[in-house]
Amino acid sequence: VYDYDGAYDTFKKQSGADDKQNDSKQTKTKETNDRKSKYIGDLLKAAKVRERERDAIYERRIAREQAEEDAKEEYAGKERFVTKAYKRKLEERKQWEQEEEEREREEAANDVTKKSAGAAFASFYGNFNKNVAVGGDSV
């Protein structure tokens, strides 16, 4: 005689396990949805840099046009007014330009193509101990 009740119970247990697996899959999909992108931060930083560069180009063009207008006799001897917000923007741009110049100087100093072979390898192995990827101390 076949034990139908026992077989039915085993099927229920298996389907319950399947439901648990489905629940775990759903939680995994929720976890993947909650994760943040690796690259979006870098993309946003690059977009900010491009925006600052575009603003700087635009401001230079405006400054050139204003210089041409100031050269006209029509505006000679007249006062010019600058808002606090514009002054703050100029200060921020000046600071950003200084940071960019400093970064470019560092890149030029660390440029491997300009170093001799011995100096390039010495620099590489000197920084090798600081590399966290190979088990070094974090900087």
Side-chain angles (χ1 to χ4, degrees):
V1 181
Y2 189 71
D3 183 22
Y4 289 104
D5 290 334
Y8 181 76
D9 289 338
T10 58
F11 292 138
K12 275 300 199 185
K13 287 180 184 177
Q14 287 178 354
S15 67
D18 291 340
D19 290 340
K20 289 179 183 177
Q21 288 176 351
N22 288 337
D23 289 341
S24 66
K25 286 181 183 178
Q26 289 175 352
T27 56
K28 285 181 183 179
T29 57
K30 287 180 184 177
E31 290 173 1
T32 56
N33 290 340
D34 293 343
R35 287 191 312 178
K36 296 188 180 192
S37 174
K38 292 188 215 180
Y39 308 108
I40 195 72
D42 293 335
L43 291 173
L44 291 174
K45 286 179 186 177
K48 276 188 176 180
V49 168
R50 287 192 305 271
E51 182 180 354
R52 285 182 178 169
E53 290 173 352
R54 277 192 302 258
D55 285 345
I57 291 169
Y58 177 74
E59 290 295 327
R60 285 187 207 123
R61 183 174 40 191
I62 295 296
R64 188 174 3 149
E65 291 173 1
Q66 286 177 349
E68 290 173 3
E69 286 182 5
D70 289 343
K72 296 179 183 177
E73 291 180 24
E74 182 179 341
Y75 300 109
K78 300 220 175 172
E79 268 187 280
R80 283 196 273 166
F81 297 98
V82 179
T83 63
K84 291 179 184 179
Y86 185 67
K87 285 181 182 179
R88 186 175 57 244
K89 185 177 180 181
L90 290 176
E91 287 295 321
E92 288 174 357
R93 182 180 314 121
K94 186 176 180 181
Q95 181 181 3
W96 177 76
E97 287 175 353
Q98 289 174 348
E99 290 171 359
E100 284 295 311
E101 288 175 7
E102 180 66 28
R103 187 184 57 80
E104 287 176 3
R105 274 191 241 117
E106 285 180 16
E107 285 180 4
N110 294 330
D111 190 9
V112 176
T113 59
K114 294 179 182 176
K115 292 183 178 181
S116 65
F121 281 116
S123 175
F124 173 76
Y125 286 114
N127 291 324
F128 195 69
N129 292 337
K130 298 177 187 174
N131 192 343
V132 177
V134 292
D137 296 332
S138 63
V139 177

